[in-house]
């Protein structure tokens, strides 16, 4: 028997002894079997993680399915496709297929997802979530399945590789554009209050206003949900106020669509009576009437870079103590037809 095999047997035996289980139970956990009690599985995963166990043959080998798993909490037919296309293009370059999964809330996938990914054993996982709960991260680490979080919505853990965009700079650029046009009554509709990207975009708005010495009316800062309905409902509140804003920075293009709808309902012309700036630069933005001024977020490239990072981590895992790979891609303002100097 080879020395490698003997080393594997001794290592697994030590792990089994520490966890107080049999070698067959260790094998079930390593192979993603579901017939192991949750408490026992957690104890084994903890020991595997503490011992830094990495299964021989892990990485790009015959023990892996030739897959990249892309996980969303919801599928938006416009926004999500940019990320899917990016991940798919890189997967194709490497001879891999993409498994698309929808699971959980925006904070983390559902519990049944982790059992499924253990069985599928992809080369890597790309997650459009704010983070992964510690249990999921430990199980993925123990099985040497790398994961990358795209556009973190919260403050990801220090050991969570991530690809995001410069949200603060995007909010700053959008608001500065409106200020340069002459607007002073500028409102902001950002995303959910518990998402870091929402807070970063509105912080960019605050910084632009503050740098020009413009007062910030807190009633003009609204938290939406990144959907059309959120933009529409928050815009209705702003446009029905006694003193309405002359410009609105919407924290997503979908919310900007809602703003345009609310303006049409009230006979408010865009951009003659109200300037609107979106965020994301989804393909639809260039086809609206008027065409939407927006912050270009490189969604497709974010998907590409996340997939490349996951594949690289499968081949070259991060050594203990080494910096966790993180990347923030630049945003840029795309000026179209939905912004103009304020009337009068």
């Amino acid at each position: 028997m080879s020395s490698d095999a003997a080393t594997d047997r001794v290592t697994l035996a030590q792990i089994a002894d520490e966890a107080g289980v049999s070698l067959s139970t260790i094998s079930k956990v390593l192979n993603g079997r579901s017939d192991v009690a949750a408490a026992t599985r957690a104890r084994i995963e903890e020991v595997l993680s503490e011992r830094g166990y990495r299964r021989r043959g892990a990485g790009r080998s015959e023990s892996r399915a030739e897959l990249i798993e892309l996980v969303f909490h919801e599928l938006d037919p416009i926004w999500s496709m940019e990320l899917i296309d990016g991940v798919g293009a890189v997967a194709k370059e490497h001879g891999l297929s993409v498994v698309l999964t929808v699971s959980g809330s925006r904070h983390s996938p559902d519990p049944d997802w982790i059992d499924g990914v253990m069985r599928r054993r992809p080369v890597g996982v790309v997650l459009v979530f704010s983070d992964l709960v510690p249990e999921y991260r430990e199980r993925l680490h123990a099985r040497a399945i790398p994961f990358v979080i795209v556009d973190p919505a919260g403050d990801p853990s220090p050991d969570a590789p991530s690809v995001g965009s410069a949200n603060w700079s995007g909010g700053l650029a959008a608001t500065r554009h409106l200020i340069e046009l002459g607007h002073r009554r500028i409102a902001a509709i950002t995303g959910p209050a518990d998402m870091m990207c929402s807070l970063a975009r509105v912080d960019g708005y605050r910084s632009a206003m503050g740098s020009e010495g413009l007062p910030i009316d807190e009633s003009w800062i609204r938290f939406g949900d990144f959907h059309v309905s959120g933009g529409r409902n928050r815009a209705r509140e702003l446009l029905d106020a006694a003193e309405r804003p002359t410009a609105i920075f919407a924290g997503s293009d979908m919310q900007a669509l809602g703003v345009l709808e609310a303006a049409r309902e009230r006979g408010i012309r865009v951009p003659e009576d109200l300037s609107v700036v979106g965020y994301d630069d989804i393909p639809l933005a260039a086809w609206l009437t008027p065409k939407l001024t927006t912050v270009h977020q490189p969604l497709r490239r974010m998907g590409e870079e996340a997939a490349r990072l996951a594949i690289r981590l499968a081949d070259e895992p991060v050594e203990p103590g080494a910096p966790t790979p993180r990347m923030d891609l630049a945003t840029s303002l795309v000026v179209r037809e939905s912004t103009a100097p304020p009337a009068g």
Side-chain angles (χ1 to χ4, degrees):
M1 184 174 291
S2 70
S3 59
D4 278 353
T7 301
D8 277 351
R9 186 171 62 249
V10 170
T11 301
L12 290 177
Q14 291 173 340
I15 290 171
D17 183 61
E18 288 186 34
V21 298
S22 66
L23 280 171
S24 64
T25 303
I26 295 287
S27 178
K28 288 180 180 180
V29 171
L30 288 173
N31 287 293
R33 294 270 296 274
S34 60
D35 54 339
V36 178
T40 302
R41 181 187 299 278
R43 186 165 68 253
I44 293 171
E45 299 282 3
E46 182 178 1
V47 175
L48 288 168
S49 178
E50 288 176 353
R51 295 297 299 269
Y53 176 77
R54 180 174 172 82
R55 183 171 183 158
R56 293 189 182 277
R60 304 291 299 281
S61 75
E62 68 281 357
S63 66
R64 295 283 185 159
E66 293 298 296
L67 304 171
I68 290 182
E69 183 148 349
L70 176 58
V71 191
F72 291 89
H73 75 274
E74 64 177 354
L75 276 178
D76 181 281
I78 300 175
W79 188 87
S80 302
M81 283 306 303
E82 293 290 295
L83 287 172
I84 294 170
D85 286 348
V87 172
V90 172
K92 184 176 181 180
E93 289 174 7
H94 290 80
L96 303 173
S97 299
V98 177
V99 170
L100 184 61
T101 302
V102 180
S103 176
S105 69
R106 62 177 176 265
H107 298 290
S108 193
D110 285 330
D112 59 352
W113 170 76
I114 191 66
D115 292 328
V117 79
M118 293 292 104
R119 292 191 298 272
R120 288 185 289 274
R121 303 190 64 195
V123 167
V125 179
V126 175
L127 299 126
V128 189
F129 289 89
S130 61
D131 204 354
L132 278 180
V133 296
E135 176 194 351
Y136 296 176
R137 287 189 278 113
E138 289 169 6
R139 292 183 67 180
L140 291 170
H141 285 319
R143 295 293 305 281
I145 299 175
F147 68 91
V148 177
I149 294 173
V150 174
D151 197 13
D155 187 12
S157 303
D159 60 347
S162 63
V163 175
S165 68
N167 289 290
W168 181 86
S169 297
L172 182 78
T175 311
R176 276 184 173 170
H177 170 65
L178 294 169
I179 293 171
E180 289 167 0
L181 288 172
H183 291 277
R184 296 297 179 265
R185 302 201 308 273
I186 304 170
I189 303 173
T190 191
D194 61 350
M195 296 178 71
M196 186 63 73
C197 58
S198 304
L199 300 175
R201 291 172 196 179
V202 81
D203 281 348
Y205 158 86
R206 289 180 181 277
S207 294
M209 297 287 282
S211 67
E212 295 296 325
L214 297 177
I216 298 174
D217 187 334
E218 292 299 327
S219 70
W220 283 358
I221 297 176
R222 303 295 172 106
F223 290 91
D225 57 8
F226 285 148
H227 295 297
V228 174
S229 59
R232 181 178 59 242
N233 294 337
R234 301 292 82 77
R236 285 170 175 167
E237 297 166 359
L238 291 165
L239 297 177
D240 288 342
E243 185 179 39
R244 65 175 177 83
T246 63
I248 295 178
F249 164 46
S252 74
D253 288 347
M254 301 306 289
Q255 289 189 152
L257 287 173
V259 174
L260 294 176
E261 182 179 343
R264 282 194 299 270
E265 292 173 349
R266 286 151 180 77
I268 296 172
R269 299 169 301 166
V270 175
E272 293 85 354
D273 304 320
L274 177 71
S275 285
V276 179
V277 180
Y279 199 107
D280 287 330
D281 194 22
I282 59 177
L284 181 62
W287 293 93
L288 295 172
T289 303
K291 297 177 181 178
L292 184 65
T293 295
T294 185
V295 176
H296 176 74
Q297 182 173 210
L299 295 171
R300 180 186 171 93
R301 189 179 163 213
M302 288 163 65
E304 293 173 347
E305 295 297 343
R308 288 192 183 102
L309 179 54
I311 292 169
R312 187 171 81 241
L313 291 174
D315 293 330
E316 303 172 9
V318 176
E319 296 297 325
T324 299
R326 289 191 168 174
M327 181 183 300
D328 278 332
L329 304 180
T331 55
S332 58
L333 184 69
V334 181
V335 178
R336 297 193 178 103
E337 301 171 351
S338 65
T339 52

